[in-house]
Amino acid sequence: MINLRDYNNQEEIITLLAECMYPDVERVKREYERYRNDQNRILLGRIEGKNLVGIIGVIWLTENEVELKHISIKASKRRQGLGKKLIYEFIKENQIKRIEVETDKNSVNFYKKIGFKITSLGEKYSGVERYKCIKDCY
């Protein structure tokens, strides 16, 4: 994985980031800028050939605990284990002891399948149930 802070194709990053966020272009751009400017955040990507095929964005909570804020895989690369691979590679390379993520019903089974403990947060937004997913590592 590479750090995308100085990656030269900003539009490619924003397009992939938008796929895992509420589709508001200005909001996605603001989130991208947070990754570029906040030292407690990191946005990493996987390049295959010359294409960005996946991203993972985290916020450092402590030296070895993170909150996974974003994960997105290019549509043509989905369901091939790349999301799991990005998470586990990040955990290993950074000696992460705990990773947490908040997600919705559409993604909760992905996290459950790869060993996260799932807790319902209830209906956090009108009509939308949210889940806290936590994985203790090592």
Side-chain angles (χ1 to χ4, degrees):
M1 283 190 293
I2 64 165
N3 189 326
L4 296 175
R5 186 165 276 136
D6 300 313
Y7 185 68
N8 62 357
N9 191 335
Q10 180 179 341
E11 285 306 312
E12 192 175 21
I13 296 169
I14 289 171
T15 298
L16 206 47
L17 187 58
E19 291 190 31
C20 65
M21 290 182 64
Y22 182 79
D24 174 334
V25 175
E26 291 308 312
R27 184 170 176 236
V28 174
K29 287 180 179 179
R30 282 192 307 273
E31 195 67 22
Y32 171 69
E33 287 303 317
R34 284 187 191 127
Y35 281 112
R36 288 181 46 95
N37 298 313
D38 184 342
Q39 295 303 310
N40 288 325
R41 290 177 172 241
I42 188 166
L43 188 62
L44 302 167
R46 165 83 65 212
I47 306 291
E48 290 183 3
K50 294 184 179 185
N51 299 310
L52 181 63
V53 296
I55 61 171
I56 182 172
V58 301
I59 298 175
W60 294 98
L61 302 174
T62 68
E63 184 178 326
N64 51 21
E65 296 180 339
V66 296
E67 178 182 1
L68 176 63
K69 290 297 287 182
H70 301 100
I71 185 167
S72 183
I73 307 300
K74 193 172 186 176
S76 64
K77 295 291 184 176
R78 291 183 189 150
R79 305 222 183 276
Q80 298 174 28
L82 185 55
K84 175 183 174 180
K85 187 175 183 178
L86 292 178
I87 290 171
Y88 276 94
E89 187 175 324
F90 179 81
I91 289 169
K92 184 177 179 182
E93 287 180 0
N94 295 281
Q95 300 176 333
I96 300 301
K97 291 186 179 173
R98 184 171 188 269
I99 185 169
E100 64 182 56
V101 61
E102 183 180 311
T103 194
D104 58 22
K105 186 177 181 179
N106 294 333
S107 300
V108 73
N109 284 331
F110 165 76
Y111 293 105
K112 188 175 187 177
K113 266 183 15 185
I114 62 172
F116 282 72
K117 290 186 172 88
I118 312 299
T119 304
S120 174
L121 298 173
E123 193 174 297
K124 194 168 177 181
Y125 309 108
S126 181
V128 180
E129 186 174 8
R130 300 290 290 176
Y131 300 86
K132 176 71 85 172
C133 309
I134 298 174
K135 182 165 184 63
D136 293 313
C137 316
Y138 295 100

